[in-house]
C-alpha cells in the first residue's frame, strides 16, 4: 500500500523538505522538464522536440545509417540552440543540494538530458544516461571528444581517422553507457530519498530507477508540472515548475537546523 500522495503545494513542500532532511543519501532523476525554463524544448507535449520529426528519422542508428545529413542537421540545430541557453534556478538548486547539504558523494544526479546544463550549474556527480550533445563519437575509431558548442559542419569527420563522426547520444535501440547505468542503479538502490524531476517517466530503462528506488525503501518525491506515469509511486507530488519548486525546497532545507538524520537499516 502506498502512503497517500500529498499534492497541495505548501504542506507537500514541507513534507518533501522533511523527507530530504531525514535522508543520508539522495539521488535525483531529471528529464527535459528541468531545462524547460531555460528555453530547451521538451520531447513530448504541445511543442515537443520530436514535433516535425519522427523519432525513427533522427534518433536511431538506422536513421543515421540511411540519412546522416538529416540526423546531423537535427543535432546541429539542437547544439546551436544551446549556445543561447543558461541553467535555471532548478539546476542551481540541485547543484546546491550536492555542494552544501549532501556532500561527500551522498548526492547523485542521474539525468536523461543531453544539454550539459547540470554541470554548467555546478553539479559534479552527474550521470548522463543518454549522452551529451557537446560530445562527438567517431564511427570508425570510436574516439569520444568534447567539442563544446563549436559549429561542426554538415557531416563532420574524425580528426584522427577521417571517418564520419556521430553525436555522442544514446539513440533508441542502443544500450545505455554501462558505467553510468550501473552507478545510477546503485544510487537508486542505496538512497533514502529519490527525487524525480521534469520527466514523463516513460522511457526505459531510465524510468525503471523509480520503482527500483522504491523497492529498496527510498521515499519518492516527484516534481513536475503535471501528473506522470511515476506519480502513483510517489510519496509526495509537487506540481509546478521545477525552476520554482526546487529552490523553494532547498530554501526550506537551508533555513532549518538539520535534525538527526535517520539511516536506512
Ligand atoms: P519528456 O518530454 O517526455 O517529458 C518532460 C516532462 O517534463 C513532462 O512530464 C512535463 O510535464 C515536464 N515539464 C515540462 N516543463 C516543466 C517544468 N518547467 N518543470 C517541471 N516539469 C516540467 O522528456 P523526458 O522525460 O526527459 O531520450 O524524456 C525522456 C527521454 O525521451 C529523453 O531523454 C529522450 C526522449 O526520447 C533520448 O533521446 C534517448
Amino acid at each position: 500500500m502506498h502512503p497517500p500522495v500529498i499534492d497541495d503545494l505548501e504542506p507537500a513542500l514541507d513534507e518533501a523538505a522533511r523527507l530530504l532532511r531525514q535522508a543520508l543519501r539522495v539521488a535525483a532523476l531529471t528529464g527535459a522538464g528541468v531545462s524547460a525554463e531555460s528555453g530547451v524544448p521538451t520531447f513530448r507535449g504541445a511543442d515537443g522536440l520530436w514535433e516535425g520529426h519522427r523519432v525513427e528519422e533522427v534518433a536511431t542508428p538506422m536513421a543515421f545509417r540511411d540519412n546522416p545529413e538529416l540526423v546531423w542537421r537535427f543535432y546541429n540545430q539542437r547544439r546551436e540552440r544551446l549556445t543561447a541557453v543558461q541553467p535555471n534556478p532548478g539546476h542551481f538548486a540541485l547543484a546546491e543540494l550536492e555542494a552544501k547539504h549532501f556532500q561527500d558523494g551522498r548526492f547523485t544526479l542521474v539525468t536523461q538530458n543531453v544539454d550539459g546544463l547540470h554541470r554548467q550549474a555546478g553539479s559534479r556527480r552527474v550521470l548522463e544516461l543518454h549522452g551529451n550533445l557537446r560530445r562527438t563519437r567517431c564511427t570508425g575509431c570510436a574516439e569520444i571528444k568534447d567539442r563544446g558548442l563549436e559549429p561542426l559542419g554538415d557531416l563532420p569527420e574524425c580528426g584522427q581517422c577521417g571517418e564520419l563522426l556521430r553525436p555522442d547520444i544514446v539513440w533508441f535501440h542502443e544500450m545505455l553507457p554501462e558505467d553510468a547505468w550501473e552507478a545510477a542503479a546503485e544510487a537508486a538502490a542505496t538512497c533514502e530519498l529519490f527525487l524525480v524531476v521534469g520527466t514523463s517517466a516513460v522511457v526505459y530503462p531510465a524510468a525503471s530507477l523509480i520503482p527500483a528506488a522504491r523497492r529498496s525503501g527510498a521515499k519518492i518525491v516527484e516534481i513536475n508540472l503535471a501528473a506522470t506515469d511515476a506519480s502513483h509511486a510517489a510519496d509526495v507530488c509537487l506540481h509546478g515548475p521545477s525552476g520554482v519548486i526546487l529552490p523553494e525546497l532547498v530554501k526550506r532545507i537551508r533555513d532549518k537546523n538539520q535534525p538527526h538524520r535517520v539511516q536506512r537499516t
Side-chain angles (χ1 to χ4, degrees), residues 10-252:
E10 282 300 318
L13 270 168
D14 288 341
E15 175 62 2
R18 190 184 70 79
L19 295 175
L20 203 48
R21 280 197 302 273
Q22 283 188 344
L24 180 68
R25 284 168 298 254
V26 174
L29 173 68
T30 65
V34 82
S35 296
E37 288 151 84
S38 294
V40 182
T42 59
F43 291 89
R44 296 167 184 84
D47 41 33
L49 188 53
W50 297 134
E51 204 169 289
H53 292 283
R54 288 180 304 119
V55 171
E56 308 84 64
E57 269 174 14
V58 289
T60 64
M62 292 71 92
F64 189 65
R65 183 196 58 210
D66 294 346
N67 196 344
E69 289 94 342
L70 174 67
V71 174
W72 261 117
R73 209 176 310 136
F74 175 71
Y75 284 98
N76 276 336
Q77 195 183 50
R78 288 177 69 187
R79 285 169 54 80
E80 216 250 304
R81 281 199 204 141
L82 270 190
T83 59
V85 159
Q86 294 299 325
N88 67 57
H91 296 106
F92 288 115
L94 289 167
E96 179 180 330
L97 281 179
E98 180 186 17
K100 301 223 174 103
H101 307 287
F102 295 94
Q103 291 145 327
D104 306 321
R106 293 184 298 116
F107 188 89
T108 304
L109 182 44
V110 183
T111 189
Q112 299 164 89
N113 297 345
V114 295
D115 54 32
L117 292 179
H118 285 304
R119 282 185 208 280
Q120 209 175 316
S123 284
R124 299 177 69 103
R125 197 175 155 79
V126 183
L127 303 172
E128 292 175 325
L129 295 184
H130 292 167
N132 191 310
L133 275 175
R134 294 161 205 252
R135 292 193 304 261
T136 56
R137 186 173 0 133
C138 178
T139 58
C141 67
E143 187 192 39
I144 292 174
K145 250 188 146 168
D146 190 342
R147 307 295 296 261
L149 295 175
E150 64 174 303
L152 291 177
D154 296 341
L155 283 175
E157 289 173 358
C158 178
Q160 299 280 339
C161 72
E163 289 294 325
L164 182 62
L165 296 175
R166 58 167 280 178
D168 190 26
I169 297 284
V170 178
W171 286 324
F172 288 89
H173 308 301
E174 293 186 317
M175 304 289 284
L176 301 194
E178 210 173 296
D179 290 359
W181 174 250
E182 278 173 11
E186 164 86 13
T190 54
C191 66
E192 283 81 27
L193 185 82
F194 194 77
L195 286 168
V196 183
V197 188
T199 177
S200 54
V202 295
V203 172
Y204 285 77
S208 72
L209 293 170
I210 304 161
R214 192 174 174 91
R215 275 196 305 277
S216 300
K219 299 288 184 192
I220 312 287
V221 172
E222 179 180 58
I223 299 171
N224 199 301
L225 286 184
T228 71
D229 280 21
S231 302
H232 70 280
D235 297 281
V236 182
C237 287
L238 297 162
H239 288 154
S242 51
V244 175
I245 304 271
L246 279 167
E248 271 301 316
L249 191 56
V250 173
K251 192 163 148 246
R252 279 165 163 77

